[in-house]
Amino acid sequence: KQWYQRRVRGRMATHFDPSSNVLICPESSLGSNGKIVKLKHPKNNQACLVYFNLDSKSIKELLYCKEKYVSWFVGDSVVGNSPLSIATPLDPLFMILPYLIASNSKYSPLDQILVDQEFPYAVQLESLVSETALLQVADVKPSLDKIIKFNKEKTLSWLCKKVEKVSTAMKQQSISPGFNSTLSDEEYSKYACGIVSDYISSSLSSDLQEKIGVQLVVDADELEKPAKRPKLDNTVDHENSKPAKKSLPKGKEKAPKLTKAQKDLASVNTKGMKTMSSFFKKVSK
């Protein structure tokens, strides 16, 4: 679908193309050198859409809100069945970290580290970060080519500062997840750590939790179910197999259990009564 950038000053635009998507973002982030591209998400390495702007040297993650039945009022128009996208600022270092970790802690030029055939626009991330920013997560050799090497301790310290900033912002704006309005500092740190962990790998998140001293609660749906032990030839799966039925000698099989209605019917005195089948016999001429 084609994306339409609608600038709003005081009043909404009167006419709106119903085939376009609705994008909410700061007007300052819209520019002639901005585009929506696919990059690798730092959490799960899956493709995600970001708004890439070389003019402001920034990227914004596109968060989608799509329901089955939804409409939006845009000016004098009603836009139906159109996903709402919200552009939120994202630190480029989060997008660079997976490539930096995969470089096996070897000094390499950043533009070479970011080479990705599946996501060719990843190499453009190099233009968004300064040497000062890279020093927060890596060791940098004095050079014009940004030759760097991943540093785990620096990265964890940088992530701790991120958690602290998020926690402070939640306190100042009285943001409280759920219905509990009185959270302790530790609970705020836990929620903030969860937010930051949405942009780093699971292993790095575990190291971050250990460094901060918190433990995130994992949803039951995300827990991996224990795999069943494979059933091999000539072996018995004691965990998943049912107990075998004992075979009885021929002629001594157990009688099937009767229901209450069958027992009541069996106790009726049928002496002198005709059987049901006798009513359906062929009449002799």
Side-chain angles (χ1 to χ4, degrees):
K1 292 184 179 180
Q2 185 177 359
W3 291 82
Y4 292 83
Q5 300 173 355
R6 291 283 173 162
R7 300 188 179 185
V8 180
R9 287 190 178 92
R11 299 178 62 185
M12 297 293 291
T14 303
H15 304 288
F16 189 83
D17 189 341
S19 65
S20 62
N21 291 328
V22 181
L23 172 63
I24 298 178
C25 66
E27 184 180 1
S28 58
S29 65
L30 299 177
S32 59
N33 204 12
K35 60 176 64 178
I36 294 174
V37 300
K38 283 185 180 181
L39 291 178
K40 181 166 63 177
H41 197 281
K43 173 69 175 179
N44 51 26
N45 294 331
Q46 299 297 316
C48 67
L49 290 179
V50 299
Y51 185 82
F52 205 111
N53 194 330
L54 291 176
D55 289 336
S56 60
K57 293 189 178 297
S58 64
I59 58 173
K60 289 177 173 57
E61 180 186 18
L62 296 183
L63 302 177
Y64 287 90
C65 176
K66 186 175 182 180
E67 300 292 340
K68 189 174 182 180
Y69 304 105
V70 65
S71 297
W72 311 103
F73 290 99
V74 182
D76 297 333
S77 304
V78 178
V79 182
N81 297 326
S82 178
L84 173 69
S85 302
I86 303 175
T88 59
L90 181 62
D91 193 325
L93 284 179
F94 282 110
M95 309 300 289
I96 293 175
L97 266 180
Y99 296 99
L100 197 55
I101 295 174
S103 64
N104 297 322
S105 300
K106 294 180 180 179
Y107 278 105
S108 302
L110 181 58
D111 57 353
Q112 294 183 15
I113 293 176
L114 295 175
V115 172
D116 190 335
Q117 294 181 354
E118 186 177 359
F119 304 99
Y121 220 83
V123 73
Q124 296 293 333
L125 292 169
E126 187 266 343
S127 62
L128 304 183
V129 291
S130 63
E131 184 176 323
T132 303
L134 290 172
L135 282 170
Q136 299 178 95
V137 296
D139 297 328
V140 182
K141 281 188 175 182
S143 172
L144 298 177
D145 297 329
K146 294 181 181 176
I147 300 177
I148 63 174
K149 180 178 71 172
F150 174 64
N151 188 309
K152 186 175 182 179
E153 291 302 320
K154 285 185 177 182
T155 301
L156 289 175
S157 299
W158 173 71
L159 290 173
C160 287
K161 293 177 182 177
K162 290 288 186 183
V163 172
E164 186 178 350
K165 286 183 179 180
V166 174
S167 178
T168 302
M170 292 176 68
K171 293 176 188 177
Q172 292 176 348
Q173 300 181 33
S174 301
I175 299 176
S176 177
F179 298 98
N180 189 0
S181 58
T182 56
L183 296 180
S184 63
D185 291 343
E186 182 180 353
E187 289 172 321
Y188 271 117
S189 295
K190 183 181 294 186
Y191 281 113
C193 182
I195 294 174
V196 174
S197 293
D198 285 339
Y199 298 93
I200 57 178
S201 64
S202 299
S203 59
L204 196 56
S205 175
S206 299
D207 294 334
L208 177 61
Q209 294 172 49
E210 184 179 353
K211 189 174 183 64
I212 296 177
V214 300
Q215 185 175 3
L216 300 181
V217 178
V218 182
D219 294 337
D221 295 338
E222 296 181 1
L223 293 175
E224 294 184 359
K225 296 181 180 180
K228 292 184 178 181
R229 188 170 56 187
K231 190 173 182 179
L232 305 177
D233 293 339
N234 301 325
T235 61
V236 179
D237 189 347
H238 297 285
E239 294 180 2
N240 301 316
S241 61
K242 296 181 179 179
K245 295 181 179 179
K246 295 182 179 179
S247 57
L248 297 176
K250 193 174 181 180
K252 293 186 179 182
E253 292 84 359
K254 289 185 179 180
K257 292 183 179 180
L258 300 178
T259 63
K260 185 177 184 300
Q262 290 173 327
K263 291 179 180 179
D264 293 341
L265 183 62
S267 62
V268 176
N269 186 6
T270 59
K271 188 176 182 181
M273 294 183 182
K274 290 184 177 181
T275 61
M276 184 66 69
S277 59
S278 63
F279 291 95
F280 298 94
K281 290 182 179 179
K282 188 176 181 180
V283 179
S284 58
K285 295 181 179 180

